[in-house]
Amino acid sequence: MAWIKRTFIALLIIFLLLAGAVAWLLVGLDVNQYKPQFEKLAAKQGIALKLDGDISWQLWPQLGLQLSDVQLAPLQLPRETLVRAERIAVGVALKPLLQRRIEAREVVLVAPQIEFSVDSEGRSNWQRVSQALEAQRKLPPKLDIPKHTQQPAQQSIQFSLEKLRIQQGLVAYRDARTGREFKLADLRVTADNLIPGGETGQLSADAEVRGSSLQAPLKLQLESTLALDESLNGLRLQPLQLGFAADNGARATVHLRGYLRRDNSNQPWRVQMNLNASADPLRPWLALTETAFTPRDDTALQKLSIEASIEGSEQKLDLTPLQLRLDSTAFSGSAQVRNAELPGLDLSLRGGTFNLDNYLPSPPEENAGETQAPEASRAAKQIQPAPKAHTVQPAASARIGKGTRQATTEPLPLSALRGFTANISLALDQLHAAGLQLVSPELQLTVDNGLYRLQKLSASIYGGQLDTNGELNARAQSAEAQVHGGLTGVDLGKVQEALFPDRKVQLAGAASLNWDALTKGKTSRSLQQNLRASAVLSSRELSIAPFNLEKGLCQLFSYAENTPMPNRDWPAKTHLQDLRATITIKGQEVKVGDLLAGIENIALTGDGTVNLKRQNFDFALGLSLVGQNTSADGCTVKNPRLRNRPLPLRCKGQFDDIDIGTCKPDSRRLDDLLREELKYKAKKKYGEKVEEKVDELKEKLKNLFGR
């Protein structure tokens, strides 16, 4: 056992000699003299390094240097501090140190703080930094280092980073315009083998995301395998995985695989990546981000996924092919993102069947705020279950019938509609929207810095075709909009059943409608009040219930001729032939004029108004009989003076109170008709003497009243 003892003693002596040599070396080497070289090394990268504290040696757990109170800023803007750190530990290689050279191998940043900010005028500090770095790249400033502090070549600093550690880091973002703040707190980063041109490195990081618009902290985790090329002009990810998670169940993952590369430092970066991202479940993200939105269907907004191949440069990125999936609906196409003076987006997607109604907000409860206290109203809304997909049609009816109440006086976000360009093309196999079912809908929209042009909106709808286009100008102080288009051959019965299934008015038959509309305003309410529109409605065969206009005309004849009504059943329906009408809209008032139609042997003319705010209507109609009978089994008119002349009928009432008695003889106009008929009979009986008697009566009345 003696040899073991001698071996142990020999090793101890060797260790003591080495420790003594290192101690002698460290004592004899004042590392503070390397401060200028650290600063010069940073300056070559366009960074102003400020070391307020001393540089000291670290012996455990690894031989190295400690830099305290460190600040980093752009060399051209030394006061624009971006990074602060309590302490930076730099691990050094032992063999170069024995040659009195410092070769950095590992860097540990303790409690670094990185701040990004946008001032009230929209200027960001990183823009100022990038401009400073660009100026530094074009004309590198000289670093003034006193000659007596410069060291000979054998006492130089070399940087070959094998490991990077960040502990208790903080990255902060603040926007003075919106008041929003975000922080990456408790940031921890571990990176190994970050040697340019060396072996593949490993990178991992985790942090807690906090923000003014986040209800709770969001946990972030990153894992990546990467490689740097020798000239630092290339980065290969193989792959990178980013995960997000919150305590309320919100989850999202992002996978990236590919590379970033440029030919040299003066050339733009080229990108080639494969992206795969998903958020599942998606709904918890609404609660996490304080999004005041609840879709009416429980199955909506459950999952979102994106797959794309990304290729391009800093100026333009192409996402081709692009695959999107929202819940059960898949979309495929392409996209292009442009980074120019005006950022731009080109998007072309085609999907299957999509139910837009399921993604609209839940309809407000009727009269909830009028009959309940605010607390009771809010409680009722919280316990009220969201309507299922099959309840969409009534909701659409309420939305269209009473949607005018939702207009607000809040200014339109016009500034958010400017500052970018876009070309958007969307197409679907089927679309369910506002209770309607559209087949092969297609949308083409262009945006040019606040000018929105709807180039095309088309779809097949209930046996007919929709085609419309329009324009929205948001460049000025207020928005201006106009739209033109039409519907041809649409089955009004199916449209009415989809939009107003509970309405008492029932339509049947095909019709066509062409329209032109324009409006302007600063709020949604002013847009509604300033709406001016005109439309032309036409139909060859149309029926409307529960009105029977022939019955109303027969009642007029019975009253005028003092004859009984025909003893028959009158159906609660009117068949109109060759209907044509012009419609004008001014704000919430709709006027119908030049109404022409045929009903058996009856010619229909008239006009009327519809008040959307008050939910009522008033139509004055004229019914003219052609021949003796209104129809084969209708009523007979003996007096030829009552034929071929419009007889007054009035349809007036509230939308919710329509019944078969809504259309009645117009008593005001009917009295004039009867007086005219009595005058005719008197004149026929007494001849010209009637006119003389009338003149005498007028003269007596003037004398009586002194006029």
Side-chain angles (χ1 to χ4, degrees), residues 698-699 701-707:
K698 289 181 180 179
E699 193 65 31
L701 290 174
K702 289 181 182 179
N703 296 332
L704 179 63
F705 292 100
R707 291 181 294 176

Side-chain angles (χ1 to χ4, degrees), residues 22-193:
V22 171
W24 170 82
L25 180 63
L26 297 181
V27 171
L29 183 62
D30 182 11
V31 291
N32 282 284
Q33 64 184 329
Y34 289 100
K35 274 188 179 182
Q37 293 196 43
F38 277 115
E39 295 172 353
K40 185 176 181 179
L41 184 64
K44 289 181 178 180
Q45 305 301 321
I47 298 173
L49 172 64
K50 184 178 180 182
L51 301 173
D52 291 336
D54 291 335
I55 303 177
S56 60
W57 287 106
Q58 171 186 287
L59 299 178
W60 183 263
Q62 178 180 339
L63 183 63
L65 302 173
Q66 286 193 18
L67 292 74
S68 57
D69 297 331
V70 181
Q71 298 181 29
L72 300 177
L75 195 60
Q76 297 281 16
L77 300 170
R79 295 184 180 180
E80 192 74 51
T81 302
L82 283 181
V83 181
R84 304 174 188 269
E86 293 181 2
R87 180 166 53 90
I88 297 180
V90 181
V92 297
L94 180 59
K95 183 177 179 180
L97 187 62
L98 296 176
Q99 302 173 0
R100 306 186 70 81
R101 289 187 299 107
I102 298 178
E103 186 174 312
R105 295 283 181 167
E106 178 181 4
V107 174
V108 179
L109 283 76
V110 180
Q113 298 181 17
I114 304 175
E115 297 181 0
F116 299 102
S117 63
V118 178
D119 60 22
S120 58
E121 298 180 359
R123 297 175 301 181
S124 62
N125 61 344
W126 64 85
Q127 288 177 333
R128 295 192 294 270
V129 169
S130 62
Q131 292 171 359
L133 291 177
E134 184 66 23
Q136 167 69 17
R137 185 179 296 113
K138 294 180 180 178
L139 185 61
K142 296 181 179 180
L143 185 67
D144 189 11
I145 303 175
K147 293 183 178 180
H148 66 276
T149 61
Q150 297 187 17
Q151 302 300 318
Q154 64 269 21
Q155 295 184 359
S156 63
I157 299 175
Q158 295 183 7
F159 193 80
S160 179
L161 183 61
E162 294 181 358
K163 296 182 180 180
L164 172 66
R165 304 288 186 267
I166 296 178
Q167 302 172 4
Q168 302 173 358
L170 176 66
V171 180
Y173 168 81
R174 183 180 68 259
D175 192 333
R177 299 170 300 174
T178 62
R180 292 186 176 181
E181 295 184 2
F182 292 95
K183 293 182 179 179
L184 284 177
D186 195 19
L187 175 63
R188 291 176 292 181
V189 178
T190 300
D192 295 329
N193 296 328

Side-chain angles (χ1 to χ4, degrees), residues 390-407:
H390 63 271
T391 65
V392 167
Q393 294 177 346
S397 172
R399 193 166 56 252
I400 295 176
K402 302 186 179 181
T404 55
R405 300 179 183 177
Q406 300 177 2

Side-chain angles (χ1 to χ4, degrees), residues 632-652:
D633 55 350
C635 58
T636 301
V637 179
K638 298 178 181 179
N639 188 350
R641 283 180 47 79
L642 296 179
R643 305 171 193 162
N644 298 312
R645 63 180 302 175
L647 300 179
L649 194 69
R650 192 176 188 186
C651 299
K652 179 182 179 181

Side-chain angles (χ1 to χ4, degrees), residues 388-503:
K388 300 294 183 181
H390 63 271
T391 65
V392 167
Q393 294 177 346
S397 172
R399 193 166 56 252
I400 295 176
K402 302 186 179 181
T404 55
R405 300 179 183 177
Q406 300 177 2
T408 68
T409 57
E410 296 182 3
L412 297 170
L414 298 179
S415 59
L417 299 177
R418 310 176 193 130
F420 62 93
T421 63
N423 292 283
I424 299 175
S425 176
L426 300 176
L428 292 167
D429 294 337
Q430 285 190 2
L431 173 66
H432 300 273
L436 299 173
Q437 181 174 333
L438 287 75
V439 179
S440 301
E442 185 175 352
L443 168 71
Q444 293 181 5
L445 175 68
T446 63
V447 183
D448 183 10
N449 192 22
L451 182 60
Y452 292 70
R453 288 192 174 96
L454 179 61
Q455 307 285 2
K456 180 181 182 181
L457 176 60
S458 65
S460 297
I461 173 171
Y462 299 116
Q465 182 67 31
L466 165 68
D467 286 289
T468 189
N469 59 78
E471 181 178 290
L472 170 65
N473 191 338
R475 292 175 173 177
Q477 296 287 332
S478 61
E480 296 184 5
Q482 56 182 332
V483 64
H484 319 277
L487 282 165
T488 57
V490 177
D491 190 329
L492 290 183
K494 293 183 178 179
V495 174
Q496 188 268 338
E497 182 181 355
L499 295 181
F500 310 105
D502 298 331
R503 293 294 189 196

Side-chain angles (χ1 to χ4, degrees), residues 504-521:
K504 296 180 180 179
V505 177
Q506 301 294 321
L507 302 174
S512 298
L513 182 67
N514 296 310
W515 59 77
D516 290 280
L518 57 88
T519 186
K520 62 180 179 179

